[in-house]
Amino acid sequence: MASKSLSTAELTQIKIALHKLARNIWWTWNQHAQELFAELSPRSWQNLYHNPVAVLHEVSTYELGVRLLEPEFAARAKQVLADFDAYMSQSDTWIRREMPELAGKTIAYFSAEFGLHETLPIAAGGLGVLAGDHAKSASDLGLNFVGISLFYREGYFQQAINRDNWQTEYYSVLDPKSLPIEPVLDPSGEPLVCSLRVGAGSIYFQAWRINVGRCVIYLLDTNRQENEPAIRDLTLRVYGGDANTRISQEMLLGIGGVRLLRALGKQPNVFHMNEGHAAFLTLELMREKLADGISLDQSIEQTRRECIFTTHTPVPAGHDRFPSDLVQYAAGTFIGKLKLTLPQFMAFGRVNPEDLSEPFCMTVLALKCSRAANGVSELHGQVSREMWQSMYPGKKVSEVPIGHVTNGIHLAGWMKGSVRRFWLDRLAIGNGGKHDRHEYELINQSEFWNQILSADTVSDEEIWALRYRLRRELIEFVRRRISTSEHRPNGGFIEYDTLLDSDALTIGFARRFATYKRAPLIFDQLENIHKLVQDSQRTVQFIFAGKAHPRDDEGKKFIQKIVHLSKYSDLKGRLVFVENYDIHVARQMVAGCDIWLNNPRRPLEASGTSGMKITAHGGLNCSILDGWWREGYDGTNGFSIGDDSHPENIEEQDRRDSANLFKVLSEEIIPAFYNRDADGIPHEWIGRIRRSMATLAPQYNTWRMVQEYCRKYYQAE
Ligand SMILES: *Cc1c(COP(=O)(O)O)cnc(C)c1O
């Protein structure tokens, strides 16, 4: 025994390395690392929301040392640390292999939100999750990527449903010391502080660093003593406050972000704006050039060459616009530094600079000051070209310089660990039982997923057993959530262990409750849905989750309607609303649902990503042909609601879509799911699962998406 135990020096080294590992969220896509931390303190892991830093606070240094005396545990810890080291020092990255010209270039990526893990709740929805997945894949690919965002110390709100079935919001304060982030320090070991002028005074800010594998994201934070209380709270909440807060947050993000990068000695080659919120960065780049004595025209031209812009919003009202008096107030000093008059400055944010009543639009600024711009799906690219055509007089819609890169997800991060192992065990055999590529790379490849088309690699029975396990895990998760919820959405009169049926076709819907996503659309056919649910031979059930923006009463009414139906209609026990949707809830739902429902009002879902997360778990999409699904659906790999068209009239569209939704559900989905052979296996259904995985998983991931950004946009023009 003694020979197997670790020397004191080794022990110390492992302890330090584990602390370091906890502060690199590489563990969010490494199952073995998560299991290690979870095993140290299973209750803390659960209660502290899967946060290794908090777990290591909970477990004393002495206990950690003692636990490592267990040879098997120590061996696993050493293996995880060795894997982490190998990842961090990998030299044959995709970038070095395929695009060596980018290897020495730095990409700065600005986003008002990053959704990386449930323990860092600083994202409001899909835009942030996309940014987080972009960062993780940038790391996997070996891209030199730095992210810039804000540190919202109350994050996005937590949701509770009150007695009136109405969403209420509450906030908890994040403690940086127990999060997987680190303070950014100056050479003397003090927090690095930068500043900018907003309104009448200076704003001082510090920064926190998130290590994302080989990449870094910096979060700007105004919670500093030097600032007045109102300014300290500028970074309190995601998209919090009024227009004044909003423009101030955006100045901090864009201008402050560039200043932080400079203070860190960074000279990025590309500045990528994820949505218009960060577009002030272009003006800060211009200001720098002017200060160096470069002419205004030259400064604009050089800035454009550095910047690229991704737009996400096909709704005209969804773009930030600020009136000129607010711009004058908030950015007056800055405008002076640019040696511009207010109308000259406003012109950067106006489609028509002559129109002095036009507000300052962040998207217009971003488009004017970028060398390239893109939407996030083919259809959204088209819609964006139409929407912004007026900015390019004389150009036809097809000539408007907005392209598209369809969104993706970081597969390794979204796949449940057990599922990833399941597929690697079966599909990694293609290469004579070995594979020379890293797992995180392999699972994005067509060659890998194509093997699923053959029953030799994995049988229908095994796939069906996997689906049953995942559905069971989801149902038990939901029962646990509901029985421990303070607010008991079902009023205590549901028997938790009979809530939902582990044999039933399980349909999921979870995302922001923005009204265009039409969460309750399916209940427009309430009578029909009642009948489906009551069919004891072929029953269906529904799990919903999602947050409405605190000021969106229409979205809250949607939640109210669904919660009400779950309590008081014949759908009771077959319809559940899970409170407080976040990345953790999302991960359970995309693993366990058989059908992922997506019924936005076309063409308002620029891309959508949640449906991509279910493919690797063997769920199937049922969606309007909008965003990514219009490209992904091929007739065999899921289901479509309606066809590749939509009426202009909204009421007509709602009517048509809800009828089509019921039609595909009752005529295609339910029959296929319940069409079983003598052994109870639905072969046709599983055939669709195979098609879905083979065609969608290797395409709709950020490994492909970031490569596309590299080839189309990050490479110098
Ligand atoms: C994936 C994801 C989204 C995006 O969902 P859409 O269907 O694209 O709107 C939103 N929120 C969370 C927490 C997610 O994980």
Side-chain angles (χ1 to χ4, degrees):
M1 275 309 283
S3 64
K4 276 193 184 166
S5 59
L6 304 165
S7 72
T8 312
E10 241 184 323
L11 204 57
T12 308
Q13 207 188 354
I14 294 179
K15 283 196 222 169
I16 293 171
L18 283 174
H19 277 273
K20 202 168 155 211
L21 174 63
R23 286 181 203 274
N24 188 318
I25 61 155
W26 173 79
W27 55 256
T28 61
W29 68 102
N30 186 286
Q31 179 70 9
H32 301 293
Q34 290 173 38
E35 283 166 3
L36 208 61
F37 289 117
E39 206 171 304
L40 275 176
S41 173
R43 281 298 283 172
S44 310
W45 176 256
Q46 204 174 31
N47 292 347
L48 304 171
Y49 225 29
H50 325 120
N51 174 353
V53 173
V55 165
L56 288 177
H57 278 193
E58 177 71 24
V59 175
S60 71
T61 313
Y62 179 73
E63 178 180 346
L64 183 57
V66 175
R67 296 290 295 275
L68 287 164
L69 295 176
E70 190 190 314
E72 190 266 347
F73 188 74
R76 281 170 47 213
K78 277 161 77 172
Q79 186 59 52
V80 166
L81 292 170
D83 291 347
F84 178 54
D85 280 347
Y87 179 86
M88 294 300 284
S89 57
Q90 187 193 341
S91 56
D92 65 330
T93 60
W94 180 87
I95 286 285
R96 295 235 183 99
R97 286 197 317 260
E98 304 289 332
M99 291 195 73
E101 65 275 28
L102 269 185
K105 303 267 168 70
T106 299
I107 314 300
Y109 181 96
F110 285 57
S111 180
E113 24 169 332
F114 274 97
L116 295 153
H117 186 259
E118 55 267 23
T119 204
L120 265 173
I122 54 170
L127 179 75
V129 173
L130 177 80
D133 284 0
H134 191 122
K136 290 173 184 175
S137 282
S139 167
D140 288 345
L141 290 161
L143 187 67
N144 223 333
F145 171 102
V146 277
I148 297 282
S149 192
L150 304 183
F151 180 69
Y152 305 104
R153 72 179 186 284
E154 288 189 352
Y156 198 52
F157 74 89
Q158 316 234 32
Q159 175 192 59
I161 307 297
N162 73 14
R163 282 174 194 286
D164 300 321
N165 306 330
W166 193 250
Q167 168 181 298
T168 56
E169 298 93 27
Y170 63 99
Y171 293 85
S172 27
V173 180
L174 300 174
D175 173 16
K177 283 196 296 301
S178 54
L179 291 174
I181 61 177
E182 300 173 331
V184 176
L185 305 176
D186 67 14
S188 68
E190 292 299 312
L192 178 68
V193 178
C194 304
S195 70
L196 76 157
R197 292 272 296 208
V198 176
S202 289
I203 289 182
Y204 296 89
F205 61 95
Q206 59 195 8
W208 303 93
R209 174 189 162 112
I210 316 177
N211 301 305
V212 185
R214 295 181 278 237
C215 300
V216 173
I217 296 170
Y218 294 100
L219 305 177
L220 281 42
D221 177 8
T222 58
N223 186 21
R224 290 214 42 97
Q225 230 119 56
E226 299 92 321
N227 291 326
E228 316 243 311
I231 301 298
R232 293 181 68 155
D233 285 350
L234 180 58
T235 48
L236 193 63
R237 294 176 181 174
V238 188
Y239 308 133
D242 55 11
N244 188 13
T245 308
R246 190 82 175 227
I247 193 172
S248 306
Q249 278 192 344
E250 296 188 359
M251 287 179 71
L252 174 65
L253 177 66
I255 301 169
V258 174
R259 292 197 183 161
L260 176 77
L261 289 170
R262 301 309 187 208
L264 293 167
K266 293 191 189 296
Q267 309 295 338
N269 305 80
V270 178
F271 290 83
H272 184 172
M273 291 168 266
N274 186 43
E275 192 54 302
H277 310 121
F280 284 128
L281 77 84
T282 59
L283 299 170
E284 171 65 3
L285 294 176
M286 270 178 229
R287 189 201 57 78
E288 289 180 334
K289 296 178 197 348
L290 286 168
D292 284 347
I294 297 171
S295 74
L296 181 62
D297 285 349
Q298 279 288 315
S299 299
I300 296 173
E301 205 31 57
Q302 288 180 15
T303 297
R304 288 188 77 245
R305 267 185 259 144
E306 292 174 300
C307 295
I308 72 159
F309 170 52
T310 300
T311 176
H312 291 263
T313 319
V315 196
H319 297 261
D320 275 327
R321 288 183 172 83
F322 301 114
S324 66
D325 52 350
L326 179 59
V327 172
Q328 163 79 53
Y329 166 74
T333 310
F334 186 72
I335 297 170
K337 291 232 176 82
L338 290 167
K339 302 194 182 67
L340 296 175
T341 63
L342 182 63
Q344 284 173 323
F345 184 89
M346 290 294 292
F348 283 100
R350 283 178 172 150
V351 175
N352 174 11
E354 314 287 301
D355 178 359
L356 298 185
S357 67
E358 194 181 319
F360 189 95
C361 175
M362 297 299 281
T363 305
V364 173
L365 171 64
L367 286 169
K368 287 192 178 180
C369 297
S370 305
R371 74 170 140 89
N374 70 285
V376 290
S377 69
E378 189 185 36
L379 182 61
H380 178 235
Q382 169 71 18
V383 169
S384 302
R385 284 189 289 279
E386 285 163 18
M387 197 155 108
W388 298 108
Q389 185 188 14
S390 59
M391 268 184 68
Y392 306 89
K395 281 202 197 300
K396 291 191 228 134
V397 168
S398 61
E399 294 165 351
V400 171
I402 301 177
H404 80 272
V405 174
T406 304
N407 283 344
I409 56 153
H410 185 257
L411 264 176
W414 278 106
M415 240 195 268
K416 268 199 167 181
S418 62
V419 173
R420 187 167 152 191
R421 239 174 264 162
F422 180 92
W423 295 120
L424 281 165
D425 282 351
R426 284 157 186 82
L427 306 184
I429 56 172
N431 194 7
K434 284 202 297 256
H435 49 91
D436 50 9
R437 281 191 256 177
H438 299 272
E439 282 178 16
Y440 64 80
E441 188 172 336
L442 198 65
I443 58 169
N444 297 294
Q445 313 293 329
S446 295
E447 301 90 296
F448 181 78
W449 290 108
N450 271 337
Q451 298 175 88
I452 205 181
L453 294 173
S454 146
D456 295 342
T457 51
V458 53
S459 66
D460 280 6
E461 286 73 11
E462 277 180 295
I463 294 179
W464 196 229
L466 173 73
R467 290 303 313 150
Y468 252 77
R469 173 155 62 81
L470 294 174
R471 192 185 315 115
R472 161 70 57 185
E473 284 170 9
L474 169 62
I475 288 171
E476 297 195 347
F477 168 80
V478 171
R479 288 177 183 167
R480 219 167 35 241
R481 276 289 277 228
I482 289 193
S483 66
T484 56
S485 158
E486 260 184 88
H487 307 274
R488 299 251 166 149
N490 291 293
F493 55 78
I494 290 261
E495 291 290 332
Y496 296 114
D497 49 1
T498 59
L499 180 68
L500 302 175
D501 176 348
S502 55
D503 288 315
L505 171 66
T506 303
I507 300 176
F509 181 108
R511 46 179 68 82
R512 286 185 305 117
F513 267 49
T515 42
Y516 78 84
K517 293 174 186 266
R518 299 188 296 188
L521 185 75
I522 193 164
F523 303 118
D524 286 0
Q525 306 274 331
L526 199 53
E527 283 309 305
N528 287 329
I529 296 293
H530 275 164
K531 285 191 202 118
L532 293 185
V533 166
Q534 281 155 5
D535 183 340
S536 60
Q537 297 305 304
R538 311 197 310 171
T539 190
V540 295
Q541 61 192 3
F542 301 90
I543 304 177
F544 279 76
K547 295 173 176 176
H549 188 278
R551 287 191 295 272
D552 178 11
D553 279 353
E554 292 307 308
K556 292 185 189 182
K557 281 186 197 155
F558 281 0
I559 292 175
Q560 188 177 41
K561 175 170 183 179
I562 292 170
V563 179
H564 181 87
L565 287 172
S566 76
K567 286 185 188 176
Y568 301 110
S569 74
D570 293 343
L571 299 177
K572 204 171 102 183
R574 293 287 173 269
L575 165 63
V576 185
F577 183 86
V578 180
E579 276 175 67
N580 210 14
Y581 179 59
D582 67 358
I583 288 177
H584 180 56
V585 175
R587 190 175 293 107
Q588 311 308 313
M589 287 187 63
V590 297
C593 289
D594 298 294
I595 285 286
W596 196 251
L597 188 60
N598 180 42
N599 43 234
R601 212 170 258 147
R602 192 173 121 137
L604 300 187
E605 192 61 87
S607 166
T609 53
S610 60
M612 303 172 188
K613 299 167 191 165
I614 73 151
T615 58
H617 299 97
L620 293 174
N621 282 279
C622 170
S623 169
I624 300 276
L625 292 179
D626 197 10
W628 81 282
W629 190 237
R630 183 171 163 274
E631 293 155 50
Y633 178 61
D634 71 358
T636 68
N637 57 1
F639 303 92
S640 87
I641 303 169
D643 57 19
D644 188 11
S645 72
H646 61 271
E648 286 305 318
N649 179 292
I650 285 178
E651 285 83 37
E652 191 190 333
Q653 194 181 353
D654 290 357
R655 249 192 329 274
R656 212 172 85 165
D657 290 346
S658 76
N660 281 331
L661 169 51
F662 182 74
K663 192 164 147 61
V664 66
L665 184 59
S666 56
E667 291 175 14
E668 292 184 53
I669 296 176
I670 294 176
F673 186 82
Y674 284 106
N675 180 12
R676 310 283 166 87
D677 74 359
D679 296 324
I681 309 290
H683 295 287
E684 183 198 338
W685 187 265
I686 294 166
R688 283 199 196 242
I689 293 178
R690 291 181 194 271
R691 290 282 312 153
S692 164
M693 290 178 145
T695 57
L696 303 173
Q699 187 62 26
Y700 297 96
N701 58 60
T702 41
W703 175 263
R704 183 271 313 155
M705 181 191 84
V706 177
Q707 286 180 4
E708 222 175 304
Y709 277 107
C710 287
R711 293 208 167 96
K712 284 190 180 164
Y713 296 114
Y714 292 164
Q715 229 170 355
E717 58 181 350

